[in-house]
Amino acid sequence: SVTPEEVQESIRSIKRKIAVMSGKGGVGKSTVTALLALSLAKRGEKVAIFDADFLGPSIPRLFGMDNERLNISEGRFVLPESRIYGIRVLSIQFLLPEKETPVVWRGPMIIGVMNDLLAKTDWRGVDYLIFDLPPGTGDAPLTLMQSVRLDGVVIVTSPNDLTSMIVEKALNMAKMMNTHVLGIVENMSYFQCPHCGERSYIFGEKKSRRLAEKYGIEVIAEIPLDPDLPRIADAGQIESYDLDHFPDFSF
Amino acid sequence: SVTPEEVQESIRSIKRKIAVMSGKGGVGKSTVTALLALSLAKRGEKVAIFDADFLGPSIPRLFGMDNERLNISEGRFVLPESRIYGIRVLSIQFLLPEKETPVVWRGPMIIGVMNDLLAKTDWRGVDYLIFDLPPGTGDAPLTLMQSVRLDGVVIVTSPNDLTSMIVEKALNMAKMMNTHVLGIVENMSYFQCPHCGERSYIFGEKKSRRLAEKYGIEVIAEIPLDPDLPRIADAGQIESYDLDHFPDFSF
Ligand SMILES: Nc1ncnc2c1ncn2[C@@H]1O[C@H](COP(=O)(O)OP(=O)(O)O)[C@@H](O)[C@H]1O
Ligand SMILES: Nc1ncnc2c1ncn2[C@@H]1O[C@H](COP(=O)(O)OP(=O)(O)O)[C@@H](O)[C@H]1O
Ligand SMILES: [Zn+2]
């Protein structure tokens, strides 16, 4: 397997490396990763996404790349690009026989493959690399924070105490690993009924503001529940989503 | 650390052992685990829950047991019981200094602790043991299916393609490990607006029926989005939830 120096050498040319994490699954981490990538790509940046959620890869589906394969040129992986904005995607799914195949791997296997993919991919021309991390604070986030000097991490949460409590573990992990927290994205903040226009706070209300104050960080965005998102995600057309929830995001 | 025989010996007295898994995080696996436990406890069964989601334990919060500790008697762990129905809970959270402390463990550590807790807990008198599994198909579900002869597994999903695709990996894992699938619970099926009574299918519609047909399994329950659930979960009072979504569940 590859050495940490080989990983560092391979990713040296990338200008910015950030990770999107949560600790809690299902809060919309992959969706936020895709929307963040889209916002940066629309400004003319060259963006790549590393779908590091090996056990539940969903980035390929969002971009309609379910059936892509990884090509090799001059001994390095060449990443497929999204249809409209040319966002490059690296996902374990491109190495699986079928997308329904479970990756039933123990931790050490995940670490080895992650470092392999980082070292053997051609990252030339990439301005931003965004890592979509799996839920939890286990092997994948740990390996990443140890192998890669991240410029920052974006934390995704939903507006309730239970989720905030688990997301706090991810915040504390980032602090322990001296990784800069760029801010919090609160997702599924409320639901606006399409029939009568009333708002319902299904998962709770404004809990992320408290979390942000406690840790002295910024709330980057509050994204409401939007039935268009699962619909266009299922159709593989996240690039057609018009709203930009990250117009001022930069660092 | 303990041997597989010691684990088998310790859990031998438990009548039924089932796991609740999903593959995808945030679909409501812990909530469904708690509601299933409640349904069985209300029928007079003695129920225990093993919160095997080490990186994001949420069962203690649901039952208002955030500040519980594990006691030891005659060299074995004695589990705390819930206030109203005496549901016993085993969670890594009871061993952590604070609930915001992240468990930043690699796979092998999780496996060791899991087998330790199974072997060293006093399970006498327990009719049903329900495992709440973490998202993914990694170390924890793998260890469980190898160490414990499960009577069955309940799969939790939400009504959209992306989630179904990842949940399918969990279904295939159960098949690979010869673990019987008891059925599918579709959660967050729709939202009924409290103001005008109209239904919105925020995450999609009826996708789980297709999944169930494809694998020849039953849909055990379809649970709508209910703002009471996050509210009473945050308050630690899941036992006060009146609706029983599992009246006919038995095996
Ligand atoms: N703001 C939102 N409104 C509606 N659905 C959303 C929103 N954000 C995410 N979703 C949906 O919720 C589910 C979980 O999102 P996903 O990005 O896969 O979460 P994670 O990566 O945290 O597991 C997906 O079906 C996705 O389409
Ligand atoms: N049917 C439901 N209606 C409303 N909120 C729900 C429902 N099921 C779960 N939730 C909420 O969704 C979040 C995720 O649920 P949880 O049980 O923690 O999922 P998982 O264990 O799959 O990560 C929690 O805030 C929970 O309160
Ligand atoms: Zn309405």
Side-chain angles (χ1 to χ4, degrees):
Chain A
S1 100
V2 301
T3 65
E5 291 70 43
E6 284 174 278
V7 171
Q8 291 300 340
E9 182 53 44
S10 171
I11 62 176
R12 190 182 304 290
S13 64
I14 305 171
K15 290 205 194 95
R16 292 258 187 258
K17 298 177 284 284
I18 62 174
V20 178
M21 71 181 301
S22 163
K24 181 97 182 109
V27 293
K29 200 175 24 53
S30 300
T31 305
V32 165
T33 296
L35 295 180
L36 196 56
L38 216 51
S39 176
L40 293 167
K42 285 178 181 172
R43 297 182 217 168
E45 304 282 4
K46 189 67 189 163
V47 183
I49 297 174
F50 186 134
D51 184 355
D53 188 351
F54 282 18
L55 306 179
S58 50
I59 293 291
R61 165 60 67 107
L62 295 179
F63 288 96
M65 300 167 96
D66 262 344
N67 300 316
E68 289 285 345
R69 288 339 254 152
L70 281 185
N71 295 318
I72 293 190
S73 158
E74 300 168 21
R76 297 177 78 80
F77 288 124
V78 177
L79 301 185
E81 298 199 354
S82 67
R83 258 195 309 280
I84 302 174
Y85 294 102
I87 295 169
R88 293 186 200 167
V89 174
L90 173 57
S91 176
I92 191 76
Q93 181 156 319
F94 300 149
L95 300 168
L96 295 178
E98 290 155 35
K99 56 182 188 295
E100 296 81 10
T101 314
V103 169
V104 181
W105 290 355
R106 294 216 178 268
M109 184 86 167
I110 289 178
I111 299 159
V113 172
M114 216 164 139
N115 282 327
D116 237 44
L117 290 173
L118 279 171
K120 297 188 175 142
T121 295
D122 179 359
W123 300 106
R124 283 175 302 181
V126 172
D127 300 320
Y128 281 82
L129 174 55
I130 307 176
F131 294 90
D132 180 18
L133 287 175
T137 48
D139 288 298
L142 191 53
T143 301
L144 187 70
M145 290 180 181
Q146 289 175 337
S147 305
V148 174
R149 250 190 317 289
L150 291 170
D151 296 293
V153 79
V154 170
I155 302 273
V156 183
T157 185
S158 78
N160 76 53
D161 286 339
L162 177 77
T163 301
S164 296
M165 182 186 98
I166 295 174
V167 167
E168 236 181 298
K169 292 174 189 278
L171 272 168
N172 285 326
M173 178 184 191
K175 275 173 97 177
M176 276 161 60
M177 310 289 291
N178 288 326
T179 303
H180 175 53
V181 177
L182 297 168
I184 285 182
V185 171
E186 178 179 276
N187 190 23
M188 308 186 185
S189 295
Y190 59 85
F191 177 67
Q192 188 138 13
C193 174
H195 304 284
C196 69
E198 291 283 341
R199 279 192 186 185
S200 291
Y201 291 87
I202 296 175
F203 295 110
E205 205 171 334
K206 294 274 177 272
K207 298 272 164 53
S208 312
R209 295 258 169 106
R210 257 189 252 151
L211 192 63
E213 272 159 35
K214 180 173 172 179
Y215 285 84
I217 48 186
E218 197 198 331
V219 177
I220 298 172
E222 287 179 359
I223 303 173
L225 272 163
D226 177 356
D228 282 347
L229 273 169
R231 195 172 49 67
I232 60 175
D234 279 353
Q237 296 178 334
I238 197 74
E239 292 185 287
S240 67
Y241 192 67
D242 282 336
L243 281 173
D244 186 349
H245 294 287
F246 303 101
D248 315 321
F249 181 76
S250 72
F251 59 93
Chain B
S1 94
V2 300
T3 64
E5 292 68 46
E6 283 174 278
V7 170
Q8 292 298 343
E9 183 52 43
S10 171
I11 62 176
R12 188 183 304 291
S13 64
I14 305 170
K15 293 209 192 87
R16 292 259 187 259
K17 299 175 282 284
I18 61 176
V20 177
M21 72 182 298
S22 162
K24 181 100 182 108
V27 292
K29 200 175 23 50
S30 300
T31 304
V32 165
T33 297
L35 295 180
L36 197 54
L38 216 50
S39 176
L40 292 167
K42 284 178 181 171
R43 297 182 217 167
E45 304 283 4
K46 188 68 189 164
V47 183
I49 297 174
F50 186 134
D51 183 355
D53 189 351
F54 282 18
L55 306 179
S58 48
I59 294 290
R61 164 63 65 107
L62 295 180
F63 287 97
M65 300 166 98
D66 262 347
N67 300 316
E68 288 285 347
R69 284 284 163 256
L70 281 185
N71 294 318
I72 294 192
S73 156
E74 301 169 20
R76 299 177 76 81
F77 288 125
V78 178
L79 301 184
E81 297 199 354
S82 68
R83 257 194 311 273
I84 302 173
Y85 293 102
I87 295 168
R88 293 186 201 166
V89 173
L90 173 57
S91 176
I92 191 78
Q93 181 153 322
F94 299 149
L95 300 168
L96 296 177
E98 289 156 32
K99 54 182 189 297
E100 295 81 11
T101 313
V103 169
V104 182
W105 290 356
R106 294 216 179 268
M109 183 86 165
I110 289 178
I111 300 160
V113 173
M114 215 165 142
N115 282 326
D116 237 46
L117 290 172
L118 278 170
K120 295 187 177 148
T121 294
D122 180 1
W123 300 107
R124 284 175 300 182
V126 172
D127 299 321
Y128 281 82
L129 173 55
I130 306 176
F131 294 90
D132 179 19
L133 286 174
T137 47
D139 287 299
L142 191 52
T143 301
L144 187 71
M145 290 180 184
Q146 288 174 338
S147 304
V148 173
R149 252 193 313 289
L150 291 170
D151 294 295
V153 88
V154 169
I155 302 272
V156 182
T157 185
S158 78
N160 76 50
D161 285 339
L162 179 76
T163 300
S164 295
M165 181 186 96
I166 296 175
V167 167
E168 234 179 303
K169 291 174 189 277
L171 272 167
N172 285 326
M173 178 185 191
K175 273 175 103 177
M176 275 160 62
M177 310 289 290
N178 289 324
T179 302
H180 175 52
V181 177
L182 298 167
I184 286 181
V185 171
E186 179 179 274
N187 190 22
M188 307 186 186
S189 295
Y190 59 85
F191 177 66
Q192 189 137 14
C193 173
H195 304 284
C196 70
E198 289 286 339
R199 280 191 185 185
S200 291
Y201 290 87
I202 296 176
F203 295 111
E205 203 170 336
K206 296 271 178 274
K207 298 273 165 53
S208 311
R209 295 257 169 105
R210 256 191 252 147
L211 193 63
E213 271 160 34
K214 180 173 172 179
Y215 284 85
I217 46 186
E218 199 197 335
V219 176
I220 298 172
E222 287 179 357
I223 304 173
L225 272 163
D226 177 357
D228 282 346
L229 274 169
R231 194 172 49 68
I232 61 176
D234 280 353
Q237 295 176 338
I238 198 72
E239 289 185 288
S240 67
Y241 192 68
D242 282 335
L243 280 174
D244 186 349
H245 293 289
F246 303 101
D248 315 321
F249 181 76
S250 72
F251 59 93

